[in-house]
Every structure is written in structure tokens, then in C-alpha cells.
């Protein structure tokens, strides 16, 4: 006989970053549902709560790094920087939480440890590290794509007697680098942002680089008030719509030019202009085939290599800093402030781990093949177990005893990055298989929030209790995600998109590389087709028990 357990709330949402806050607002204010949010931190913010390392900043321009659900919020909020810095994004999210009275449904300092689908009850049983248990009809993950830090298991790591920090778990009261000998391991986004700032504060900085990077000057500055007041605020509706239909979730026009169709002089002048303007405009504003064609890409990659050669004075450092093993953009495209210039400082040294690998961490520092580097502080800018790591920290079980860890052991499988077959009523906001990390995140997050909200509203209207991705639709989507990725330059590098940064992680391209606009259109077509690929209905157990009771 079917159980009669009741839901404590309509939905449990995990995480109180952009995704969790937006989902809570949508479900509570627009659908009138009861919602319980669990958040590990002691405040809202997600990524921007944890990543407080020096120089932490978003690569999207501030005017488009925001929620769009409230016109008043869009008009009232004024960013101060062209690229929003971590403290300001955190203030923004705190403001959103206060303005819309979101905190009352968020339980802080609480981690979801397990979530089991109870088939007889059609409920998710959600358990926390505090031993609490909540039953909910829907379970929605807003856990972020890059939220489980990767601190490499280097021999002797725990023997280090100095201080060590991962950039994604930075102390709230900061780190005093003054006069200290500091090691930074890693030159991804977090390393490239923090290295110039730490170099200014530290006595001495040694950077341990595994892969040399392309990075483009951000040309960060204060926000252009005229641009904001005259071009952005009166036109937010159109700008946001353009962002939603774009490739990367930003409202810009890509150049129509092809890199190999212009003369060398013209091409160089265009790159120079892009370099002066800075940021990702260097890529999308110059030629449309840089990210699609290896020969075109080579011209841009070589332009940046020449900039490194011009900027860095020591030829030994140039040889280490010039990237030669992957094309521009095949790892995450980086933007920086004074990154290469920093290597001209007297107090900065660089160790190339390709030729001089780390052997171990000692009580006093880092030992490589060539010698010992004594330091007071080690900064691990070594990235994240992206996209799947945070799911695997929870024991997620679907119907028929399915375990997410097992079902994703060869790489994540989902339908649209939104749902997983065998996990009814579980939704992922920007899960693997959606554009997520290849886009301006708030735009992708909001699309999922709206889509999930619309589906739940549809289910309520139609008196349907359960929704589950079909196996066939999921398999087709996974194939499509792989096919699209295989046609891109992303396959030419060892990146965290492919899980290559985590030893033993399956090498599968996790986000959807088809673009935000194309993805959105796909999601809309599926809805127009009666939620094609999803099974919507009433729980089998409930129907069976009604039959048995003559209902
Ligand atoms: P990333 O981009 O994953 O960068 C991590 C860096 O750490 C990268 O240079 C790695 O080298 C390096 N790394 C990782 N493991 C090791 C070990 N074991 N030894 C030496 N070096 C290592 O993380 P970030 O935090 O910088 O950025 C994450 C995202 O946050 C970013 O893309 C934005 O979306 C925001 P590798 O390149 O793998 O050789």
C-alpha cells in the first residue's frame, strides 16, 4: 500500500547564490509555493561568498551581471566598476536577499548531505549535516558549477607549517601578505586575478605554473556613468532579450569578419584595437572565426604571444609564459589586470612545473625537481572539481535505488542539464549539459529558473505530480552535447570543462557548447512540443493505490 507521508514544503532549494535566490523568489513570490533553502555559508552569495581572494572579480561587465526579474532592481542598482568585484557582487546579492525578504526561507550554515527520492510518496527526503530531515515534492539544486575546491593531493601537503589557503575558501578577514614569502600554485582565472595583487603586498612571490595562459587585459575601471544612464538603463529590456538570444549571454554583436580574409596589416590593426579596448571584446569584436577555425585562431594566439614577448623583459620568463600547447580559448579565456607586467617585478619568480615539477610540500615550503622554495604562505589557486564535484558530495538517490554517483561514473548524463532520468522532480539549475559555465551565468541561471518555474506551474494547472526525463531523450541530448563539443576548439586543451584537472575524473566535455540562444530555443521547442522527452503524470504508486481502493 502506498505511504501517506506529506510534504513539509513544496520545494527544497540547495544553495543561496544567484541560482538559489532567484529560484526562491520565483517559487515563493510568483507561484506561491512553500520553499526551504539550505545554504552551507552563513550568508547568501554562493560563489561570491566563498571566493574572496585578492583581485576576485567577474569577467562579465557589471551592467549585464544581474537579475532581470525586477525592473525596479535593474533601475535602482548602480555598479561602481566596469567589471564587478567580489565585495560588490556580494553586496548586490545581500541587497537582493533583503529587498525581497528572502532570508526568512533560508537556513544558513546547513549543508544538504543526502537526498533520496521516496517513490511511494513521490517525495524527496532531504537530510542535512545537522540531522534534520525535510520532505519536499520538488528538489532543486542551485549548488553552482565551480564550488567544490580542488586542493591537489601533493605528497607532504599536510606537513606544511605555514598558512595555506584555497582561493575558493578564502578567510573572511583576509590574509596579511606583508613581508611574507608567498607561493601561488595555479594560473587559471583565480591565479591570474590574484597574482598581481599578492605581488604588490608580499615580500616575495613565487608562482608555480603548470600551463602557460593566454590572457587579455581587462582594462578594468570605474563604470562609465554615461553608458549606464543613457545606453543601458533605458534599454534594459532589449539588452536582456539580446543577451538571452546570444551565444554567450551578453548583448554584444560579434564581428562578421573572417580572420584570414584580411591582410596581415589589417588583421593586426584590428587585434591592436581589440587589445586596447580589452576584455572578451578582443575575441568577439575582431573576427567571428577565432573560436571556430584553428588557422584563424592561430593568428589571435600568436598576437597574444607577441604581446607577452613585448611585455615581459626577461627572455627566460618569456619562454615559460608563452603558451604553446593549446589554442586561445580552448581553456577558459582569461582577462587580467597587469598579469604579465607582474613578472617584471623584482619580488616575483616563476617556476615552470612542466620542466620542474613539484615533488612534495615540506614543513617549510615546496620542493621541485630543481630545489627547495621556502615560503610562509601557500595559495592554492588550483581550481575546482567543476560541475559534478558538488553533486557527489551529497548522497543523491533516485527511484529503483539509483545513485547519482554511479549513474554519472562515466561522466554526467542529463536531459538539457535540467533533469536526470530516474530522478523524478529533481531539477538542476545550470547542470552539466547546459551552457552554464560557457556563458554569462546570471542569464543562464535565470533561464533555468523560469523554465523550471513554468513547468511546475504547468504541473499544478494540469494536476500532475511527477516529472522525469526519459532515458531516450537524455541519451540523445548527451550525444548532441558531445557532438557539438567535438566540433569546437575546446577539445584541443586539457581543461576543467573536460574534467582534465582532476586525477581520475572521466574525460567528458560537461557544458553545452551550442550557445545560450540556441539552447534557449531548444528548451522552448521542447515545451511547445508538450514537454517532449519528459514524462509527466501522477506517481505510479499513487495511481495503483487509488485503483486498489476503488478510487
Ligand atoms: P582553474 O581555471 O581550474 O585553474 C587552476 C589552475 O591550477 C590551473 O593553472 C591548473 O593548471 C593549476 N593546477 C591544478 N591542479 C594543479 C596541480 N596539481 N599542480 C599544479 N597546478 C595545478 O581554476 P580557477 O579557480 O583559476 O578558475 C575557475 C573558474 O572560476 C574560472 O574558469 C572562472 O570560470 C571562474 P592546468 O591549467 O590544469 O594545467
Amino acid at each position: 500500500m502506498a505511504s501517506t507521508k506529506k510534504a513539509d514544503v513544496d520545494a527544497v532549494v540547495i544553495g543561496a547564490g544567484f541560482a538559489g535566490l532567484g529560484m526562491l523568489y520565483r517559487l515563493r513570490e510568483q507561484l506561491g509555493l512553500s520553499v526551504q533553502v539550505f545554504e552551507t555559508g552563513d550568508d547568501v552569495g554562493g560563489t561570491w561568498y566563498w571566493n574572496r581572494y585578492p583581485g576576485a572579480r567577474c569577467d562579465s561587465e557589471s551592467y549585464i551581471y544581474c537579475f532581470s526579474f525586477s525592473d525596479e532592481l535593474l533601475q535602482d542598482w548602480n555598479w561602481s566598476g566596469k567589471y564587478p568585484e567580489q565585495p560588490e557582487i556580494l553586496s548586490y546579492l545581500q541587497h537582493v536577499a533583503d529587498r525581497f525578504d528572502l532570508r526568512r526561507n533560508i537556513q544558513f550554515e546547513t549543508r544538504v548531505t543526502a537526498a533520496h527520492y521516496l517513490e511511494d510518496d513521490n517525495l524527496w527526503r532531504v537530510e542535512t549535516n545537522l540531522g534534520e530531515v525535510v520532505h519536499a515534492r520538488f528538489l532543486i539544486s542551485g549548488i553552482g558549477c565551480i564550488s567544490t575546491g580542488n586542493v591537489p593531493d601533493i605528497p607532504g601537503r599536510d606537513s606544511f607549517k605555514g598558512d595555506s589557503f584555497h582561493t575558493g575558501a578564502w578567510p573572511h578577514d583576509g590574509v596579511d601578505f606583508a613581508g611574507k614569502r608567498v607561493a601561488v600554485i595555479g594560473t587559471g582565472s583565480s591565479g591570474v586575478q590574484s597574482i598581481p595583487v599578492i605581488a604588490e603586498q608580499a615580500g616575495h612571490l613565487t608562482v608555480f605554473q603548470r600551463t602557460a595562459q593566454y590572457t587579455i587585459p581587462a582594462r578594468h575601471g570605474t563604470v562609465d556613468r554615461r553608458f549606464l544612464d543613457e545606453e543601458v538603463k533605458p534599454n534594459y529590456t532589449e539588452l536582456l532579450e539580446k543577451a538571452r538570444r546570444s551565444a554567450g549571454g551578453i548583448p554584444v554583436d560579434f564581428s562578421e569578419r573572417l580572420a584570414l580574409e584580411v591582410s596581415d596589416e589589417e588583421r593586426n590593426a584590428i587585434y591592436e584595437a581589440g587589445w586596447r579596448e580589452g576584455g572578451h571584446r578582443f575575441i568577439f569584436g575582431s573576427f567571428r572565426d577565432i573560436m571556430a577555425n584553428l588557422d584563424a585562431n592561430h593568428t589571435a594566439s600568436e598576437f597574444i604571444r607577441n604581446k607577452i614577448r613585448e611585455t615581459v623583459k626577461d627572455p627566460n620568463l618569456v619562454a615559460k609564459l608563452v603558451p604553446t600547447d593549446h589554442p586561445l580559448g580552448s581553456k577558459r579565456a582569461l582577462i587580467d589586470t597587469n598579469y604579465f607586467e607582474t613578472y617584471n617585478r623584482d619580488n616575483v619568480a616563476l617556476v615552470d612545473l612542466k620542466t620542474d615539477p613539484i615533488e612534495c610540500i615540506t614543513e617549510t615550503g615546496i620542493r621541485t625537481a630543481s630545489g627547495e622554495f621556502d615560503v610562509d604562505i601557500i595559495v592554492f589557486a588550483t581550481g575546482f572539481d567543476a560541475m559534478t564535484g558538488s553533486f557527489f558530495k551529497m548522497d543523491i538517490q533516485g527511484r529503483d535505488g539509483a545513485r547519482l554517483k554511479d549513474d554519472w561514473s562515466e561522466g554526467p548524463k542529463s536531459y538539457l542539464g535540467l533533469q536526470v532520468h530516474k530522478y523524478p522532480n529533481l531539477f538542476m539549475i545550470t547542470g552539466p549539459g547546459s551552457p552554464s559555465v560557457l556563458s554569462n551565468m546570471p542569464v543562464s541561471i535565470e533561464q533555468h529558473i523560469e523554465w523550471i518555474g513554468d513547468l511546475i506551474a504547468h504541473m499544478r494547472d494540469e494536476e500532475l505530480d511527477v516529472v522525469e526525463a526519459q532515458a531516450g531523450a537524455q541519451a540523445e541530448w548527451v550525444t548532441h552535447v558531445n557532438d557539438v563539443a567535438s566540433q569546437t576548439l575546446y577539445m584541443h586543451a586539457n581543461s576543467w570543462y573536460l574534467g582534465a584537472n582532476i586525477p581520475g575524473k572521466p574525460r567528458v566535455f560537461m557544458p553545452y557548447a551550442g550557445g545560450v540562444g540556441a539552447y534557449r530555443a531548444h528548451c522552448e521547442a521542447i515545451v511547445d512540443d508538450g514537454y517532449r522527452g519528459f514524462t509527466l503524470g501522477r506517481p505510479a504508486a499513487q495511481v495503483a493505490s487509488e485503483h486498489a481502493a476503488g478510487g
Side-chain angles (χ1 to χ4, degrees):
M1 200 182 125
S3 159
T4 52
K5 206 181 288 299
K6 292 267 182 300
D8 301 308
V9 285
D10 294 315
V12 161
V13 173
I14 313 174
F18 261 100
L21 293 176
M23 197 74 238
L24 167 58
Y25 179 82
R26 174 92 169 104
L27 294 178
R28 194 187 74 189
E29 298 301 315
Q30 296 173 340
L31 299 182
L33 301 189
S34 57
V35 186
Q36 175 65 60
V37 180
F38 290 116
E39 163 58 49
T40 307
D42 68 6
D43 199 1
V44 300
T47 291
W48 303 106
Y49 172 92
W50 298 104
N51 285 267
R52 299 173 187 236
Y53 60 84
R57 187 181 290 158
C58 180
D59 286 358
S60 296
E61 291 188 29
S62 52
Y63 76 94
I64 198 68
Y65 197 75
C66 55
F67 283 116
S68 69
F69 65 76
S70 160
D71 280 341
E72 293 76 21
L73 177 64
L74 282 170
Q75 295 302 326
D76 291 352
W77 184 263
N78 289 309
W79 295 99
S80 67
K82 179 178 174 191
Y83 296 97
E85 295 177 18
Q86 175 271 329
E88 197 171 11
I89 305 173
L90 185 58
S91 306
Y92 171 75
L93 292 170
Q94 289 167 335
H95 170 78
V96 169
D98 293 337
R99 184 174 181 137
F100 299 100
D101 190 21
L102 298 177
R103 289 178 201 275
R104 69 181 151 94
N105 298 107
I106 306 172
Q107 184 171 317
F108 293 104
E109 297 183 83
T110 310
R111 199 161 41 79
V112 169
T113 51
H116 296 177
Y117 177 66
L118 309 181
E119 198 166 351
D120 285 347
D121 307 298
N122 185 33
L123 290 177
W124 278 94
R125 180 187 186 279
V126 179
E127 197 171 331
T128 75
N129 62 325
L130 304 178
E132 295 154 297
V133 171
V134 175
H135 291 91
R137 175 74 67 231
F138 297 102
L139 175 62
I140 304 173
S141 140
I143 57 179
C145 300
I146 34 183
S147 41
T148 293
N150 164 44
V151 181
D153 194 12
I154 299 170
R157 191 188 64 191
D158 298 333
S159 67
F160 183 59
K161 292 263 193 291
D163 292 323
S164 62
F165 308 98
H166 183 269
T167 49
W170 203 255
H172 287 200
D173 39 8
V175 175
D176 183 6
F177 291 108
K180 301 274 171 54
R181 296 162 305 168
V182 182
V184 174
I185 306 177
T187 52
S189 225
S190 306
V192 162
Q193 288 186 342
S194 60
I195 284 164
V197 185
I198 294 173
E200 282 178 6
Q201 299 170 7
H204 190 271
L205 168 65
T206 309
V207 177
F208 294 81
Q209 168 194 278
R210 186 163 72 178
T211 305
Q213 290 279 13
Y214 301 92
T215 148
I216 299 157
R219 312 286 179 213
H220 177 55
T222 51
V223 83
D224 179 347
R225 287 293 332 173
R226 191 210 58 79
F227 170 68
L228 212 58
D229 293 340
E230 294 175 22
E231 292 180 41
V232 174
K233 294 221 172 177
N235 301 310
Y236 248 133
T237 308
E238 295 76 15
L239 287 169
L240 285 159
E241 194 49 26
K242 188 167 176 178
R244 291 177 191 125
R245 303 283 158 193
S246 69
I250 49 175
V252 293
D253 294 315
F254 277 66
S255 167
E256 284 302 313
R257 290 178 295 239
L258 296 173
L260 302 174
E261 278 184 359
V262 298
S263 68
D264 289 354
E265 291 71 29
E266 193 180 340
R267 188 183 317 112
N268 220 43
I270 289 166
Y271 284 142
E272 279 293 349
W275 192 258
R276 271 197 306 279
E277 196 172 356
H280 293 308
R281 281 169 200 273
F282 172 80
I283 296 177
F284 63 74
S286 49
F287 300 102
R288 84 171 137 90
D289 52 348
I290 292 179
M291 297 303 295
N293 172 315
L294 261 185
D295 293 333
N297 181 287
H298 177 77
T299 65
S301 299
E302 191 54 21
F303 178 88
I304 298 179
R305 289 187 201 115
N306 283 332
K307 285 292 179 195
I308 301 169
R309 292 174 186 124
E310 279 168 28
T311 309
V312 179
K313 294 191 181 122
D314 178 347
N316 291 322
L317 286 178
V318 169
K320 295 175 186 172
L321 287 166
V322 167
T324 51
D325 60 357
H326 65 283
L328 168 67
S330 56
K331 289 165 91 80
R332 193 176 192 283
L334 305 182
I335 66 175
D336 73 277
T337 301
N338 290 332
Y339 179 66
F340 292 116
E341 290 81 351
T342 295
Y343 292 95
N344 292 330
R345 296 175 64 100
D346 293 336
N347 69 336
V348 176
L350 177 68
V351 177
D352 179 3
L353 299 179
K354 286 253 155 67
T355 54
D356 189 11
I358 294 178
E359 288 182 345
C360 62
I361 292 179
T362 66
E363 288 189 7
T364 55
I366 296 174
R367 186 183 303 151
T368 68
S370 76
E372 194 94 27
F373 296 84
D374 283 349
V375 290
D376 306 303
I377 299 174
I378 300 176
V379 174
F380 288 98
T382 41
F384 298 85
D385 184 354
M387 306 210 73
T388 54
S390 299
F391 282 103
F392 293 164
K393 284 210 293 206
M394 299 179 281
D395 170 26
I396 299 180
Q397 296 187 23
R399 62 178 173 76
D400 301 332
R403 286 168 192 270
L404 196 68
K405 250 187 204 146
D406 298 336
D407 286 338
W408 283 9
S409 61
E410 289 167 7
K413 296 183 176 71
S414 78
Y415 187 32
L416 301 171
L418 275 161
Q419 263 219 319
V420 184
H421 176 61
K422 291 193 283 195
Y423 299 82
N425 291 358
L426 167 64
F427 295 103
M428 302 178 291
I429 300 172
T430 63
S434 72
S436 60
V437 292
L438 299 181
S439 68
N440 177 30
M441 285 301 277
V443 170
S444 286
I445 286 170
E446 282 201 316
Q447 186 235 333
H448 274 186
I449 289 170
E450 286 160 22
W451 198 94
I452 295 165
D454 288 351
L455 172 53
I456 292 176
H458 168 76
M459 290 171 71
R460 189 172 57 184
D461 294 347
E462 301 296 323
E463 298 183 6
L464 303 167
D465 279 347
V466 62
V467 56
E468 183 185 333
Q470 294 164 6
Q474 176 167 298
E476 272 175 37
W477 183 253
V478 170
T479 303
H480 178 58
V481 170
N482 288 327
D483 287 349
V484 171
S486 69
Q487 291 156 28
T488 68
L489 300 187
Y490 291 120
M491 307 315 273
H492 293 259
N494 292 319
S495 70
W496 56 262
Y497 297 139
L498 273 161
N501 61 328
I502 303 293
K505 193 164 172 170
R507 212 182 162 90
V508 172
F509 193 80
M510 294 180 287
Y512 177 58
V516 165
Y519 172 80
R520 191 182 186 91
H522 210 94
C523 292
E524 288 169 348
I526 282 167
V527 175
D528 292 344
D529 235 359
Y531 287 99
R532 173 166 37 90
F534 291 94
T535 300
L536 282 133
R538 295 169 62 216
Q542 189 186 321
V543 174
S545 86
E546 283 170 7
H547 277 306

